[in-house]
């Protein structure tokens, strides 16, 4: 018997003539996720990938089910498509799953014969293996509807795969199959979730974070980089653009009506993000906006803010309520970081009575005294780029306690954007 991980994918099978391209990219992402296991092999089969881990199958399985495009995966025993070998593997799998003290137990067999050369049908294999397991382990009971354990068998391509557990994957499409976009990452609950959902659809993201240092603390920037590390735990290293809007906010406060401050600031954020996106070859912007959640997220505000960019603005959480967003944030590992109480540039800028239904012409009039192009260019020129990765290629276990002697600058490799030359 050989240890192997069966990897299943769903939507890729509908891609017609483009299917091989998506499958090849998924295989690449699987190998990247398993890069800590140098002897691992990833083989493509019909409708499946098979991962042969060289070291720790359990650890490899945990990494596999975090790869976008994977619907589910199972750690299995692989044996030749021979009935005696399948019987022996099924007994071993059941023994390993139940343990010596777990009888009596309810079980069922779920056999699927994809390889029609195998002499028994799926139903005949179910009956044969069920009878064999009943005779081998006294106290077992067959329960097709509510089993304690299911012994699954797949016969395909001259091999049989036997397993008892299946872990769900995130689904979606392989990361990078959907082009590149800039994610406006605020440090709150919504934008990391929006970024994760975009990544799940195959979109490669580069977060851009706007800060107002020294009016906002260095800790707030560290928090955003930690959130980016959690996202990196799903896809590998992520580049984060850190952009100061301190001078923009000073100009807005000096020349614009108080009730339009947030609207004007958000318009600048989109302008700056678009300028960076064009340098980086990104085709869209991703935001964590949800209709009606705050004053800047009414339909009127969204229209007025979006009017300054010609790039598509993707809003993956636009129709989700807060409870749904929080539930997903907990699941992907960003929630505990997002609720850390560090202020962001918007929270410092909220007027007492923000305009909830601004019109584009009102915003344009308010911006007449501002050097819009100059402020955008200066912010882009001063932007810094930080590349982050999850510790040891995996997600952080949770928010780290604050060290007493925290560094004055967020850890990472800071580079001026213009030095990348891309």
């Amino acid at each position: 018997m050989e240890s192997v991980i069966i990897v299943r994918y769903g939507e890729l099978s509908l891609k017609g003539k483009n299917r091989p391209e998506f499958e090849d990219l998924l295989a690449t992402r699987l190998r990247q996720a398993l890069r800590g296991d140098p002897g691992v092999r990833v083989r493509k089969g019909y409708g499946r990938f098979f991962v042969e881990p060289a070291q720790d199958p359990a650890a490899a399985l945990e990494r596999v089910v975090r790869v976008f495009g994977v619907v589910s995966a199972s750690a299995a025993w692989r044996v030749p498509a021979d009935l005696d070998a399948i019987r022996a593997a099924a007994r071993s799998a059941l023994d390993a799953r139940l343990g010596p003290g777990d009888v009596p137990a309810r079980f069922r067999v779920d056999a699927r014969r994809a390889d029609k050369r195998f002499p028994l049908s799926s139903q005949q294999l179910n009956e044969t293996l069920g009878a064999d397991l009943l005779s081998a382990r006294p106290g077992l009971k067959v329960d097709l509807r509510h089993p304690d354990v299911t012994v699954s068998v797949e016969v395909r391509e001259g091999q049989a795969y036997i397993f008892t557990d299946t872990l769900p994957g995130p689904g979606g499409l392989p990361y990078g199959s959907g082009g590149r976009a800039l994610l406006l990452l605020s440090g709150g609950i919504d934008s990391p979730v929006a970024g994760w959902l975009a990544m799940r659809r195959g979109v490669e993201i580069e977060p851009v974070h706007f800060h107002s240092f020294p009016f906002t603390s260095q800790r707030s920037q560290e928090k955003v980089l930690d959130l980016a590390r959690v996202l990196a735990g799903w896809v590998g290293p992520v580049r984060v653009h850190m952009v100061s809007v301190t001078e923009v906010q000073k100009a807005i406060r000096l020349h614009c009506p108080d009730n339009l401050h947030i609207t004007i600031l958000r318009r600048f954020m989109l302008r700056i993000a678009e300028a960076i996106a064009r340098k980086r070859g990104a085709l869209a912007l991703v935001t964590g906006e949800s209709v009606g959640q705050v004053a800047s997220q009414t339909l009127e505000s969204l229209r007025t803010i979006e009017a300054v960019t010609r790039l598509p603005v993707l809003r993956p959480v636009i129709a989700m309520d807060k409870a749904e967003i929080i539930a997903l944030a907990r699941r992907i590992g960003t929630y505990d970081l997002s609720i850390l109480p560090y202020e962001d540039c918007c929270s410092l800028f909220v007027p007492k009575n923000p305009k909830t239904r601004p019109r584009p012409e009102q915003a344009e009039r308010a911006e007449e005294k501002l050097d819009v192009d100059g402020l955008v260019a200066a912010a882009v020129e001063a932007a810094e780029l930080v590349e982050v990765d999850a510790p040891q290629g995996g997600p952080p276990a949770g928010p780290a306690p604050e060290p007493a002697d925290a560094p004055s600058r967020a850890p990472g490799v800071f580079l001026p954007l213009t030095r990348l030359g891309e």
Side-chain angles (χ1 to χ4, degrees):
M1 292 191 296
E2 299 173 286
S3 176
V4 65
I5 296 173
I6 304 174
V7 182
R8 305 173 189 86
Y9 53 86
E11 194 172 337
L12 274 62
S13 61
L14 305 176
K15 293 300 180 183
K17 293 182 180 179
N18 293 325
R19 175 174 170 171
E21 180 181 342
F22 282 85
E23 290 177 333
D24 290 346
L25 183 54
L26 179 57
T28 298
R29 296 308 181 200
L30 286 169
R31 293 187 182 100
Q32 289 174 345
L34 296 163
R35 60 187 183 275
D37 191 346
V40 70
R41 294 178 56 195
V42 177
R43 184 175 66 81
K44 185 169 70 174
Y46 185 76
R48 299 280 191 276
F49 281 95
F50 300 98
V51 175
E52 299 165 3
Q55 297 176 0
D56 186 346
L61 180 61
E62 288 183 8
R63 293 198 289 272
V64 163
V65 294
R66 296 178 65 85
V67 175
F68 292 116
V70 172
V71 171
S72 66
S74 304
W77 294 113
R78 180 169 60 197
V79 298
D82 171 80
L83 184 57
D84 289 338
I86 295 173
R87 280 175 166 153
R91 291 183 184 184
S92 297
L94 186 64
D95 289 343
R97 179 64 171 76
L98 288 179
D102 290 343
V103 291
R106 298 168 297 176
F107 84 107
R108 72 170 183 172
V109 177
D110 180 19
R112 299 184 182 187
R113 184 193 62 160
D115 188 343
K116 302 306 180 187
R117 296 173 298 178
F118 189 74
L120 299 184
S121 68
S122 297
Q123 182 58 33
Q124 289 172 327
L125 193 53
N126 279 333
E127 295 169 356
T128 301
L129 292 179
D132 187 71
L133 292 173
L134 282 171
S135 65
R137 190 158 181 140
L140 280 178
K141 295 180 180 179
V142 175
D143 189 333
L144 300 181
R145 300 186 63 180
H146 304 290
D148 298 316
V149 59
T150 297
V151 178
S152 299
V153 180
E154 291 189 15
V155 181
R156 53 177 66 241
E157 301 173 72
Q159 305 285 335
Y161 300 85
I162 297 90
F163 53 93
T164 57
D165 294 287
T166 295
L167 297 183
L173 297 172
Y175 184 64
S177 62
R180 180 183 296 170
L182 248 63
L183 165 68
L184 276 66
L185 185 61
S186 70
I189 296 172
D190 302 342
S191 57
V193 172
W196 187 89
L197 288 170
M199 295 193 302
R200 184 172 178 263
R201 294 307 302 166
V203 177
E204 177 187 347
I205 61 137
E206 286 193 6
V208 54
H209 174 67
F210 298 98
H211 63 84
S212 300
F213 187 79
F215 301 109
T216 54
S217 69
Q218 199 67 49
R219 291 290 179 82
S220 68
Q221 295 182 53
E222 294 167 16
K223 169 185 169 181
V224 168
L225 294 177
D226 285 340
L227 286 168
R229 290 187 180 91
V230 175
L231 297 178
W234 293 87
V235 296
V238 169
R239 288 175 166 179
V240 187
H241 302 266
M242 307 295 285
V243 181
S244 171
V245 288
T246 303
E247 297 306 316
V248 173
Q249 288 184 287
K250 288 180 179 177
I252 293 174
R253 188 177 291 274
L254 189 61
H255 297 293
C256 299
D258 179 78
N259 61 356
L260 285 174
H261 279 183
I262 288 294
T263 302
I264 304 300
L265 177 60
R266 297 288 295 174
R267 284 163 63 93
F268 268 94
M269 288 178 175
L270 289 199
R271 290 183 178 108
I272 294 167
E274 178 176 348
I276 295 174
R278 296 198 184 282
K279 285 176 175 284
R280 299 290 303 151
L283 302 175
L285 306 178
V286 179
T287 76
E289 291 160 321
S290 175
V291 169
Q293 192 171 115
V294 294
S296 65
Q297 296 176 17
T298 63
L299 289 181
E300 292 85 350
S301 288
L302 294 177
R303 181 187 64 152
T304 300
I305 292 167
E306 186 176 328
V308 300
T309 180
R310 286 177 292 178
L311 289 180
V313 179
L314 311 181
R315 299 181 173 94
V317 302
I318 192 72
M320 297 172 66
D321 68 28
K322 199 67 177 182
E324 293 172 319
I325 297 171
I326 288 174
L328 186 50
R330 292 183 188 278
R331 177 183 154 202
I332 66 177
T334 58
Y335 178 76
D336 289 340
L337 287 168
S338 290
I339 61 174
L340 292 177
Y342 302 131
E343 73 289 351
D344 59 31
C345 62
C346 290
S347 62
L348 292 177
F349 214 56
V350 176
K352 290 183 179 178
N353 299 297
K355 200 170 185 61
T356 57
R357 291 180 169 79
R359 298 191 301 276
E361 59 271 22
Q362 292 175 317
E364 291 165 4
R365 282 198 300 273
E367 292 173 344
E368 287 177 350
K369 293 183 179 179
L370 302 178
D371 177 10
V372 173
D373 292 342
L375 289 167
V376 170
V380 173
E381 179 66 24
E384 296 176 299
L385 190 60
V386 187
E387 183 169 296
V388 300
D389 197 357
Q392 300 178 346
E402 283 190 5
D405 53 345
S408 59
R409 160 151 282 185
V413 181
F414 282 77
L415 295 172
L417 177 66
T418 49
R419 284 178 53 186
L420 287 174
E422 296 182 21

